Amino acid sequence: MENAGYERDARSTVVRLKERGQYDYATIHRLIDTTAVLHVSFPPSGDDPFPAILPMLGCTGVFDPDGKKPEPHAAAPGSFPEDEDEEDYSTGPRCIYLHGHAASRLFKAPLPDRLPVCVAATTMQGVVLALTPFHNSCNYASAVVHGYASVVTNEAERMYALTRITDNLVAHRWDNSRNPPTKAEMTTTGVLRIDIVSASAKVRVGGPGDDRHDMKNESVINNVWTGVVPTYTVYGEPIPSDYNRVGKVPSYMKHWIERENMRSKEEALSAVAKDKK
Amino acid sequence: MENAGYERDARSTVVRLKERGQYDYATIHRLIDTTAVLHVSFPPSGDDPFPAILPMLGCTGVFDPDGKKPEPHAAAPGSFPEDEDEEDYSTGPRCIYLHGHAASRLFKAPLPDRLPVCVAATTMQGVVLALTPFHNSCNYASAVVHGYASVVTNEAERMYALTRITDNLVAHRWDNSRNPPTKAEMTTTGVLRIDIVSASAKVRVGGPGDDRHDMKNESVINNVWTGVVPTYTVYGEPIPSDYNRVGKVPSYMKHWIERENMRSKEEALSAVAKDKK
């Protein structure tokens, strides 16, 4: 199952530099869940010729209406296994859940039953510098998903999505916050589900590549630094609010910050070491 | 002139939480130039119902066809002022330049004269944690631009754009690389210019906000940590390529890394200190 993934179609197949294309569930879902901000594109509406992009928070999920209360990233408040396994992203296709304020344009204007959208999750992992600017590049991983968006109305599915989005932002946060939500909170929050039609990822790794004539040119090769400047996201020291009364940063948060910082630095560094794609 | 900016229209005006909306040139241009990866959305084409998103490298610019050789971020190789002033982003409207391989779908399919696109530049600056998940938020700054894209054919403008995109990726890199470009390099590189029609930025700063009933609830306020986890991008230690022959990382690169790391951390920290928007 490990390499099972989305079927390629004309829309999703990476044509140029096709060795960078990846279609397996694990790569695509993991990218969506580890990218802080998703970019969601909507088709032009009415007379306006322009597509629109909204930066949104969200994550992947599979809601089981008959299942027991789903606890995707959750654990008992204040306790969690030290060597928590990463979620298995390879088990099958998923949806994407996004949320927003119910008063935002998106939820106010009634969506058509199936609104075609595109979601991009991009992680920049390094600046790749070659002898000539024309071979400069970036190490990056980007998932692009096409699918139909609809507003979720089933209360159990809405709860599932909101729990997951919260825990995807900060692991274990839901159970360590005030819950359950009030009726007003549920009413003012809109949840969007995107049913995926096609999906692919593009991943660039490795160092720079240069043309032979530049590599043989002594004045060029002896003077132009080539290599990769790794790039990663860092979560810094938490800064308490002016009404915070919890003296110490809780251990689930420390653990999450540590793990995320290690993960994104590791990914940037290991991308450099891989063979160029 | 400092607050001069793009005219608001129905498309660009921030309606909900309108205090987060900004329209001045300086905020919008600076965001576009300091965001590593831009997300560019294209309208559905042919029978395909879905809009498309491409992550691309690019930056703002104004090409003056009668001007002298433009040197936007450039300086003499190996030398630069220690206290380099930041570019003045407030002087007037600009275009956005993007580049790609001439063989990519975008440049191969002849663009219509004016292809309507949307460009988003988003910087995440912090995770904002409240007592209840429904008041969680993010500190972020996001510029969204609508405009018409066309392929640049004027050679002088193409050179201007490529120089600027290179120096926007790594300051002073163009003059410290092998140049001028070969004819083949120029032929295989496509440049897209986006003429901006409307533009706005949304900026969220400050700490969390919570409802009074939660702040009065002893078991909630004494147990849920609230505040901001600042988030920023880091450029790590440069890793030389296997054919690199320049022993020490050049000072223009060290300077760029230092300045960018300081800037993005500073922005994330100072966002927390500002009054909530």
Side-chain angles (χ1 to χ4, degrees):
Chain A
M1 267 305 271
E2 206 182 332
N3 288 314
Y6 291 96
E7 258 179 65
R8 304 179 197 198
D9 58 20
R11 196 182 300 115
S12 67
T13 301
V14 176
V15 179
R16 215 179 64 80
L17 300 172
K18 61 175 185 284
E19 63 283 8
R20 293 188 188 170
Q22 297 188 19
Y23 306 88
D24 61 292
Y25 297 132
T27 301
I28 291 167
H29 298 157
R30 193 169 184 275
L31 253 169
I32 293 167
D33 282 9
T34 57
T35 300
V37 179
L38 302 175
H39 283 86
V40 186
S41 168
F42 301 88
S45 75
D47 287 342
D48 193 19
F50 297 101
I53 298 183
L54 284 181
M56 293 180 86
L57 297 180
C59 64
T60 65
V62 185
F63 173 65
D64 175 7
D66 307 316
K68 57 177 187 346
K69 182 185 170 247
E71 304 188 35
H73 301 275
S79 84
F80 54 87
E82 269 306 316
D83 298 304
E84 203 168 4
D85 284 338
E86 188 181 81
E87 184 171 342
D88 183 359
Y89 286 113
S90 71
T91 49
R94 294 187 175 191
C95 303
I96 297 176
Y97 288 101
L98 305 166
H99 76 339
H101 198 280
S104 71
R105 268 187 257 204
L106 192 56
F107 295 98
K108 256 166 98 180
L111 286 184
D113 249 11
R114 288 153 53 87
L115 179 71
V117 300
C118 180
V119 180
T122 308
T123 305
M124 165 89 165
Q125 298 180 325
V127 178
V128 180
L129 295 171
L131 295 170
T132 160
F134 291 78
H135 285 303
N136 288 351
S137 186
C138 284
N139 283 340
Y140 68 93
S142 179
V144 173
V145 168
H146 296 91
Y148 289 102
S150 52
V151 176
V152 179
T153 51
N154 177 306
E155 281 306 306
E157 185 172 4
R158 279 160 50 78
M159 269 298 288
Y160 165 76
L162 294 169
T163 310
R164 242 190 104 79
I165 292 170
T166 301
D167 284 343
N168 190 63
L169 186 66
V170 177
H172 307 289
R173 181 70 190 180
W174 183 274
D175 282 338
N176 286 288
S177 306
R178 192 268 291 147
N179 67 56
T182 64
K183 213 174 160 183
E185 286 171 346
M186 288 303 278
T187 310
T188 54
T189 303
V191 175
L192 220 55
R193 186 187 65 233
I194 294 167
D195 296 314
I196 296 179
V197 172
S198 62
S200 61
K202 262 176 100 173
V203 180
R204 200 274 179 204
V205 295
D210 266 295
D211 293 336
R212 203 171 303 179
H213 65 90
D214 281 324
M215 295 174 72
K216 282 185 176 161
N217 183 330
E218 290 290 320
S219 87
V220 169
I221 192 106
N222 290 328
N223 286 298
V224 182
W225 187 93
T226 55
V228 179
V229 184
T231 312
Y232 44 93
T233 299
V234 165
Y235 292 99
E237 201 60 45
I239 299 169
S241 74
D242 47 20
Y243 57 89
N244 175 62
R245 287 216 212 134
V246 179
K248 269 173 53 181
V249 175
S251 57
Y252 72 92
M253 281 182 58
K254 280 194 196 157
H255 188 71
W256 159 73
I257 290 171
E258 221 170 86
R259 198 186 55 194
E260 283 302 298
N261 285 347
M262 207 183 303
R263 183 186 59 72
S264 62
K265 186 172 181 178
E266 254 309 299
E267 281 177 9
L269 295 179
S270 71
V272 185
K274 284 179 189 159
D275 278 344
K276 189 161 89 80
K277 276 204 229 186
Chain B
M1 267 305 270
E2 205 182 331
N3 288 314
Y6 291 96
E7 257 178 64
R8 304 179 198 196
D9 58 20
R11 196 183 299 114
S12 67
T13 302
V14 177
V15 178
R16 215 180 63 81
L17 301 172
K18 60 176 186 285
E19 61 284 8
R20 292 187 188 171
Q22 298 188 18
Y23 306 88
D24 61 291
Y25 297 132
T27 301
I28 291 167
H29 298 157
R30 191 168 184 275
L31 254 168
I32 293 167
D33 282 9
T34 56
T35 300
V37 179
L38 302 175
H39 283 85
V40 187
S41 169
F42 300 89
S45 75
D47 287 341
D48 194 18
F50 297 101
I53 299 183
L54 284 181
M56 294 181 85
L57 296 181
C59 65
T60 64
V62 186
F63 173 65
D64 174 9
D66 306 317
K68 57 180 188 343
K69 182 184 172 252
E71 303 187 40
H73 302 275
S79 84
F80 52 87
E82 269 306 315
D83 297 304
E84 202 168 4
D85 282 339
E86 189 181 80
E87 184 171 342
D88 183 359
Y89 286 114
S90 70
T91 48
R94 295 187 175 191
C95 302
I96 298 177
Y97 288 101
L98 305 166
H99 76 338
H101 198 280
S104 72
R105 267 186 258 201
L106 192 56
F107 296 98
K108 255 166 99 179
L111 286 185
D113 250 12
R114 287 152 57 85
L115 179 71
V117 301
C118 179
V119 180
T122 308
T123 305
M124 164 89 165
Q125 299 180 325
V127 178
V128 180
L129 296 172
L131 295 170
T132 161
F134 292 77
H135 285 303
N136 288 351
S137 185
C138 283
N139 283 339
Y140 68 94
S142 179
V144 173
V145 168
H146 295 91
Y148 289 103
S150 52
V151 176
V152 180
T153 51
N154 177 306
E155 280 306 305
E157 185 173 3
R158 279 160 51 78
M159 269 299 288
Y160 165 77
L162 294 169
T163 310
R164 240 189 106 78
I165 292 170
T166 302
D167 284 344
N168 190 64
L169 187 65
V170 177
H172 307 288
R173 181 70 190 179
W174 184 274
D175 282 337
N176 287 288
S177 305
R178 193 266 291 146
N179 67 57
T182 65
K183 213 173 160 185
E185 285 171 346
M186 287 304 277
T187 310
T188 54
T189 303
V191 175
L192 220 55
R193 187 188 62 233
I194 294 166
D195 296 314
I196 296 179
V197 172
S198 62
S200 60
K202 261 175 101 171
V203 180
R204 201 274 180 204
V205 295
D210 267 295
D211 292 335
R212 203 171 301 178
H213 64 90
D214 281 323
M215 296 174 70
K216 282 185 178 163
N217 183 330
E218 289 290 318
S219 88
V220 168
I221 192 106
N222 290 328
N223 286 297
V224 182
W225 187 93
T226 56
V228 179
V229 183
T231 312
Y232 44 92
T233 299
V234 165
Y235 292 99
E237 202 60 45
I239 298 169
S241 74
D242 47 19
Y243 57 90
N244 174 62
R245 286 217 212 133
V246 178
K248 268 173 53 181
V249 175
S251 56
Y252 72 93
M253 281 181 58
K254 278 193 197 158
H255 187 71
W256 159 73
I257 291 170
E258 221 170 86
R259 198 187 53 194
E260 284 302 298
N261 285 348
M262 208 183 304
R263 184 187 58 73
S264 62
K265 186 171 181 179
E266 254 310 299
E267 281 177 8
L269 295 180
S270 71
V272 184
K274 285 179 188 159
D275 277 344
K276 188 162 89 81
K277 275 202 227 185

